[in-house]
Amino acid sequence: MHVSSTSSREFRWAGPRTIPFLVVSGSPQRPFRSASNEGLFSKGAVGNTEYGEEEEEANAPIDHLDDEIPFQESLGAVKEPAWPIFPKKLSDSNQIHAHSGNDAPVSGAREIYLSNAGDRPNRVLSEDIKGTRLEAESRIKQVTNEEGKHAGLQEGETKGEEMPTRFHKTISKTLSVNQDLHNPEMSSKVDSSGLSLAKVQQFKDQLIRAKVYLSLSPSRTYPEFIRELRARVREVEHTLGDATNDTELPKGAHEKLKMMEQTLAKGRQIHNDCSSVIKKLRAFYQSAEDQLRAQKKQELFLTQVAAKTLPRGLHCLPLHLTTAYHSLDSNKQQFPHQEKLEDPKLFHYALFSDNVLATAAVVNSTILNAKYPENHVFHIVTDRLNYAAMKMWFLANPPGKAAIQVQNVDEFTWLNSSYSPVLKQLGSQSMIDYYFKSHLAKSDGNLKFRNPKYLSILNHLRFYLPEIFPKLSKVVFLDDDVIVQKDLSSLWAIDLKEKVNGAAETCGENFHRFDRYLNFSNPLIAKNFDPRACGWAYGMNVFDLIEWRKQNITEIYHHWQKLNEDRLLWKLGTLPPGLITFWKRTYPLDRSWHVLGLGYSLNVSQKDIAGAAVIHYNGNMKPWLEIGIGKYRNYWSKYVNYDQVYLRDCNINP
């Protein structure tokens, strides 16, 4: 038999399969007990590669291995013998020696060590078989003899003083596995005839424990241990036979008792190791959860940055369009069909955006799916920076027979801070600090509320529709991140039953209920609203402007905006004040009119998308951004003409 090294950190036995345990030679004349009940099996470092990010600690000392994260190699992969052996520095003077079957030293054996659990020192196998081995063997014989000298190592105590103190204590502790045998109460246990029952009872107890270990699943990962334990069970059953007291036991029963106890000690170690592995797995799971939370937070931050960042092509496009617009003659800067702009019999759309390409996709998709395009009128409002570019795009790409109007929000002289509380708040110092001072930004965990779109008045124009369109009676509001897939003209025929807002409800999604948007810990909110009320979605809404004016909706909006000046009722955005303003004034549309989630969810069904009149890329993953969800991108890109000269010049591709 020889010892082979499989790696710099692990040694395995490569001897014949007849050797059941590492430190037992099989010689009945030299019974040897392991120096620790819990040191026989160790899964502390099976294999030579640590798990995941801990690979840099591969050269760490083995006695620190229990502090590391779980191991990559499965527990069932351990080869014969079923417990690994590891090298350690020679600082431990307590050594146990390996022998061949004929009691000779193992030829060419290097010093190797048994890994232990917990804080116990590792045991050592050494080439040195003289001296300490003889003393240890003598000490064991003194304690485990059949006369039951359980008082400890009393005889030969002077001789024992030559041994290292720690080894003396370790051997004593190891022999305690047979404490029942040396227990005075057990030794004195007799039957009614005065015969001792101590060993018989111990044999029966061992059989029960052995059968329990055989039934437990962790034991099955150690086939060598299972074979050894079954062999010991057969030996004990044969030895016990029909004996009713100790005197009926055959000669050698005491040796069988000790050998079974040694095997059961291995079983205890296996299950001790399982407990430690469970603890390590729990710690690893907790660590993985912490890392996952950190990664999700980082992903959210990077997604927000990507959503806020304008791609190069979309920055280039308005520059080229603005240049082209100002090169036109003034008589070519006007749209046709201006007489349709205030005709209440036509289908009017309101679209507020500073994104030229997104707005173009909305208009194109609506016109291409309309039964009568000439009856549709688009009212686009943008900011001063993009006004010329927006006009130039639709001058170069007219929407067929449909009418179009582009307005500059800065020309709405009626919209000022004295009239609009939200405009006053957007220009306040506290709002500027909230957005532009990084030390304050870090204090707000929800990054979505820091999106610059909330600083734009374009985002709040939806609350001023009667002022923008004083001669219209009904309009359909469209966000710039939607695509129209069906004719929408039938929306104007829907009776809203004296409600102001027609919208698709989102009750099926729990994050669209009122308590997700409003602060119900505030008594003002708790008193006036139901936390479980169904929310609804902006993006495709029908507004009855006659009822709006009659119910004075804009003033209701102003009232709540003033109450929320310190942002204690809700955070930023337009949906929370929309839920409040149109509370009990919203008519639910069929969900097929408006399908949401294409800007954040991977689970929107193809059936719902195909049946939807309008699909909405709400969320950060817009289809014109690189972070857009690929499987939904084609629904948007098919309404963009990438052969258009301005798109080619700015290298905007599908």
Side-chain angles (χ1 to χ4, degrees):
M1 182 175 67
H2 66 280
V3 180
S4 64
S5 171
T6 61
S7 75
S8 61
R9 298 192 58 180
E10 176 183 352
F11 290 87
R12 297 188 185 276
W13 286 83
R17 296 175 61 87
T18 56
I19 304 302
F21 182 50
L22 179 63
V23 296
V24 179
S25 66
S27 172
Q29 285 76 27
R30 286 182 171 83
F32 191 88
R33 178 173 294 281
S34 164
S36 170
N37 294 343
E38 299 179 2
L40 303 175
F41 288 82
S42 175
K43 303 174 199 172
V46 178
N48 60 357
T49 303
E50 312 305 338
Y51 189 92
E53 297 180 356
E54 301 298 328
E55 288 183 352
E56 66 273 11
E57 298 183 9
N59 297 321
I62 298 304
D63 53 338
H64 297 303
L65 206 54
D66 285 341
D67 296 330
E68 298 174 4
I69 57 180
F71 314 101
Q72 198 168 12
E73 182 174 333
S74 65
L75 301 180
V78 181
K79 303 301 181 182
E80 180 183 12
W83 47 94
I85 307 170
F86 305 95
K88 187 180 178 182
K89 296 180 181 179
L90 298 180
S91 57
D92 192 350
S93 60
N94 305 326
Q95 299 178 346
I96 301 175
H97 308 274
H99 303 274
S100 63
N102 59 6
D103 206 21
V106 176
S107 172
R110 299 171 59 188
E111 287 198 352
I112 52 178
Y113 304 80
L114 280 174
S115 173
N116 279 304
D119 300 328
R120 297 175 177 80
N122 293 345
R123 308 305 191 265
V124 185
L125 295 176
S126 175
E127 291 177 339
D128 181 11
I129 61 169
K130 300 178 181 179
T132 305
R133 179 178 64 80
L134 297 176
E135 292 177 3
E137 190 175 300
S138 174
R139 191 75 59 178
I140 294 170
K141 286 185 177 182
Q142 291 174 8
V143 178
T144 58
N145 61 61
E146 291 190 15
E147 284 73 22
K149 294 181 180 180
H150 54 269
L153 300 178
Q154 297 175 352
E155 296 181 8
E157 196 169 53
T158 303
K159 185 176 182 179
E161 291 174 357
E162 300 174 5
M163 299 173 60
T165 304
R166 198 169 81 177
F167 183 62
H168 178 100
K169 293 179 179 179
T170 304
I171 292 296
S172 299
K173 180 178 179 182
T174 303
L175 294 176
S176 68
V177 296
N178 278 330
Q179 57 185 348
D180 289 343
L181 179 62
H182 303 300
N183 190 320
E185 295 180 3
M186 182 62 73
S187 298
S188 61
K189 186 174 182 179
V190 295
D191 63 4
S192 57
S193 62
L195 298 175
S196 173
L197 302 175
K199 291 183 180 178
V200 170
Q201 188 60 47
Q202 276 193 302
F203 274 127
K204 292 179 179 180
D205 290 345
Q206 286 180 338
L207 287 174
I208 293 173
R209 289 157 57 197
K211 291 176 181 179
V212 169
Y213 283 141
L214 288 172
S215 67
L216 295 177
S217 56
S219 303
R220 297 168 190 165
T221 61
Y222 293 87
E224 194 67 22
F225 166 72
I226 292 295
R227 285 193 291 270
E228 180 181 340
L229 185 57
R230 286 174 177 167
R232 294 284 180 262
V233 168
R234 289 193 294 269
E235 290 177 358
V236 168
E237 288 176 341
H238 178 74
T239 301
L240 188 60
D242 298 326
T244 58
N245 56 66
D246 292 357
T247 58
E248 296 178 1
L249 294 172
K251 186 178 180 180
H254 185 71
E255 296 297 329
K256 302 294 184 184
L257 191 68
K258 290 192 295 183
M259 293 172 68
M260 173 61 95
E261 196 63 42
Q262 288 178 354
T263 303
L264 292 174
K266 300 176 187 179
R268 283 196 298 273
Q269 179 61 47
I270 288 174
H271 293 278
N272 285 343
D273 283 348
C274 289
S275 298
S276 64
V277 167
I278 290 172
K279 291 178 182 178
K280 290 179 180 179
L281 288 175
R282 285 176 179 168
F284 178 70
Y285 178 75
Q286 183 62 45
S287 175
E289 279 195 331
D290 293 341
Q291 292 180 27
L292 179 60
R293 280 192 292 269
Q295 291 294 330
K296 283 186 175 180
K297 188 174 181 180
Q298 184 179 24
E299 178 189 10
L300 175 62
F301 174 77
L302 294 176
T303 301
Q304 293 290 339
V305 171
K308 297 173 187 178
T309 303
L310 188 66
R312 180 180 299 178
L314 294 186
H315 179 69
C316 165
L317 182 61
L319 295 178
H320 280 235
L321 290 169
T322 300
T323 303
Y325 177 79
H326 289 295
S327 67
L328 292 177
D329 294 335
S330 59
N331 60 343
K332 294 182 179 180
Q333 293 178 349
Q334 303 303 317
F335 294 107
H337 312 301
Q338 294 297 294
E339 70 282 358
K340 296 181 180 180
L341 298 181
E342 296 180 350
D343 187 349
K345 297 179 181 179
L346 300 179
F347 308 130
H348 294 266
Y349 300 89
L351 208 166
F352 311 137
S353 175
D354 58 359
N355 188 325
V356 175
L357 190 62
T359 303
V362 175
V363 173
N364 288 349
S365 64
T366 306
I367 294 299
L368 290 174
N369 290 289
K371 293 180 180 178
Y372 304 102
E374 65 275 10
N375 293 334
H376 295 260
V377 182
F378 296 89
H379 302 271
I380 300 169
V381 181
T382 188
D383 56 15
R384 180 175 54 188
L385 187 64
N386 293 280
Y387 173 71
M390 193 74 75
K391 287 195 71 173
M392 186 62 206
W393 176 269
F394 289 105
L395 288 170
N397 303 276
K401 297 180 181 180
I404 194 161
Q405 177 189 32
V406 177
Q407 295 177 275
N408 181 0
V409 68
D410 294 301
E411 295 178 357
F412 294 166
T413 56
W414 53 267
L415 187 59
N416 52 61
S417 58
S418 62
Y419 173 68
S420 172
V422 69
L423 196 61
K424 182 179 179 179
Q425 292 169 15
L426 291 175
S428 67
Q429 186 61 43
S430 62
M431 190 70 69
I432 293 172
D433 290 345
Y434 182 79
Y435 275 96
F436 297 108
K437 289 192 176 181
S438 59
H439 68 283
L440 293 177
K442 292 179 182 177
S443 65
D444 193 339
N446 199 337
L447 294 175
K448 75 176 184 178
F449 295 121
R450 315 199 75 82
N451 196 314
K453 73 178 182 179
Y454 298 123
L455 282 175
S456 174
I457 190 60
L458 291 175
N459 204 43
H460 297 269
L461 284 183
R462 63 194 70 188
F463 294 103
Y464 298 100
L465 294 178
E467 288 84 354
I468 300 173
F469 311 113
K471 296 184 179 181
L472 299 182
S473 57
K474 184 177 285 189
V475 297
V476 169
F477 169 79
L478 296 176
D479 265 337
D480 64 358
D481 55 354
V482 305
I483 286 294
V484 176
Q485 300 188 126
K486 295 182 179 180
D487 179 52
L488 300 182
S489 57
S490 57
L491 283 172
W492 278 262
I494 296 176
D495 182 6
L496 298 182
K497 302 185 184 303
E498 299 184 349
K499 304 293 185 181
V500 179
N501 173 28
E505 290 188 329
T506 54
C507 298
E509 304 175 26
N510 57 11
F511 57 85
H512 271 148
R513 295 188 181 272
F514 273 44
D515 59 352
R516 293 287 179 163
Y517 292 96
L518 304 178
N519 179 18
F520 277 87
S521 64
N522 188 294
L524 194 59
I525 294 294
K527 180 182 177 180
N528 289 280
F529 306 101
D530 178 7
R532 301 305 296 161
C534 287
W536 44 268
Y538 269 126
M540 195 286 296
N541 306 76
V542 183
F543 289 107
D544 187 334
L545 300 186
I546 296 175
E547 286 295 330
W548 185 308
R549 297 181 186 102
K550 185 185 300 185
Q551 299 182 33
N552 205 9
I553 297 299
T554 302
E555 285 304 314
I556 295 173
Y557 169 68
H558 284 173
H559 170 72
W560 284 100
Q561 280 290 356
K562 291 175 183 178
L563 293 176
N564 193 47
E565 185 174 3
D566 52 4
R567 297 192 302 278
L568 295 180
L569 304 184
W570 68 86
K571 292 287 188 180
L572 299 178
T574 56
L575 184 55
L579 296 176
I580 289 176
T581 302
F582 297 105
W583 169 245
K584 295 184 178 179
R585 299 177 180 89
T586 299
Y587 178 83
L589 300 178
D590 188 275
R591 291 189 183 182
S592 63
W593 279 109
H594 187 190
V595 171
L596 298 98
L598 281 71
Y600 69 88
S601 175
L602 297 173
N603 301 317
V604 182
S605 73
Q606 299 296 324
K607 181 179 179 181
D608 288 343
I609 294 174
V614 174
I615 56 175
H616 194 172
Y617 292 85
N618 57 312
N620 286 318
M621 301 178 187
K622 305 300 184 187
W624 56 84
L625 298 176
E626 290 185 5
I627 61 173
I629 300 174
K631 67 178 183 177
Y632 305 140
R633 194 186 302 272
N634 184 59
Y635 296 108
W636 181 85
S637 62
K638 68 181 180 180
Y639 293 107
V640 177
N641 180 14
Y642 289 99
D643 293 329
Q644 213 280 339
V645 61
Y646 295 110
L647 298 187
R648 291 203 311 268
D649 289 346
C650 291
N651 198 28
I652 297 176
N653 301 303

